[in-house]
Amino acid sequence: NAGVMQNPRHLVRRRGQEARLRCSPMKGHSHVYWYRQLPEEGLKFMVYLQKENIIDESGMPKERFSAEFPKEGPSILRIQQVVRGDSAAYFCASSPSLGNGYTFGSGTRLTVV
Amino acid sequence: EDKVVQSPLSLVVHEGDTVTLNCSYEVTNFRSLLWYKQEKKAPTFLFMLTSSGIEKKSGRLSSILDKKELFSILNITATQTGDSAIYLCAVEDNTDKLIFGTGTRLQVFP
């Protein structure tokens, strides 16, 4: 079992470009969560998805950010027109079902220059 | 607003010392409290606590939850340099979200 796989590990984008972050959950896990960790801050919840459904996106910025978890393939966190303030580590976690613990991926470190 | 507060923010000790990390919380719909260790990569799971007063142990690490006073502690005895990391406390609410504290950065020197 390869665990939660995130790619890329590091991503550098210029201001105004798009960033696409991928997360493949653990085998058998149908719940995916995205968290953002800004420098010197704790992880902050962004969005919770199940296959083809967004369950809770209360932590997502209202503009430029979107997430999906299609029937086939990884979950994608998409940031359009990136700004320097988007520079952070983005972690994905997966869970087999509610209340059954989370496994985190190694994160994608996004740097906007 | 739900919040989780960890203290101290940073701790520097020598190998062999014992440390206590604190986590207090104000979360409306508490389901469980979790501790993670974060080195340079993914947060790795340490403990999940749901009941007050029951200590969980794993080797030199132990943790306990007090749901009346709304806090938890993580103890590490006989610290080693490999214990150097950021220790994260998170509370899971009934919507399946984790609310994290900012973490305690522990540095253990030989």
Side-chain angles (χ1 to χ4, degrees), chain A residues 79-101:
Chain A
I79 311 172
Q80 295 178 290
Q81 298 174 317
V82 295
V83 300
R84 288 226 172 101
D86 297 332
S87 296
Y90 291 82
F91 288 94
C92 170
S94 73
S95 171
S97 58
L98 284 177
N100 270 303

Side-chain angles (χ1 to χ4, degrees), chain A residues 10-60:
Chain A
H10 299 274
L11 181 61
V12 179
R13 284 287 177 265
R14 294 188 186 279
R15 279 180 294 170
Q17 290 185 318
E18 179 179 288
R20 289 169 72 86
L21 288 61
R22 294 175 200 79
C23 168
S24 296
M26 282 186 73
K27 189 175 180 181
H29 286 196
S30 58
H31 298 237
V32 165
Y33 309 81
W34 286 93
Y35 287 81
R36 175 164 66 173
Q37 187 174 35
L38 293 167
E40 306 304 321
E41 293 188 20
L43 281 80
K44 294 277 195 288
F45 169 80
M46 298 182 77
V47 62
Y48 161 34
L49 310 106
Q50 294 180 25
K51 284 283 186 184
E52 298 185 279
N53 285 306
I54 297 174
I55 307 301
D56 184 341
E57 55 182 348
S58 58
M60 289 277 270

Side-chain angles (χ1 to χ4, degrees), chain A residues 57-112:
Chain A
E57 55 182 348
S58 58
M60 289 277 270
K62 298 260 185 295
E63 296 174 348
R64 302 188 295 108
F65 284 70
S66 61
E68 62 176 7
F69 188 15
K71 189 176 178 182
E72 301 291 337
S75 175
I76 306 285
L77 179 68
R78 184 174 172 220
I79 311 172
Q80 295 178 290
Q81 298 174 317
V82 295
V83 300
R84 288 226 172 101
D86 297 332
S87 296
Y90 291 82
F91 288 94
C92 170
S94 73
S95 171
S97 58
L98 284 177
N100 270 303
Y102 311 81
T103 302
F104 279 86
S106 295
T108 293
R109 297 195 182 278
L110 171 66
T111 302
V112 179

Side-chain angles (χ1 to χ4, degrees), chain B residues 73-88:
Chain B
I73 59 172
L74 174 69
N75 277 321
I76 309 175
T77 58
T79 51
Q80 302 171 358
T81 54
D83 295 327
S84 297
I86 297 173
Y87 290 83
L88 298 170

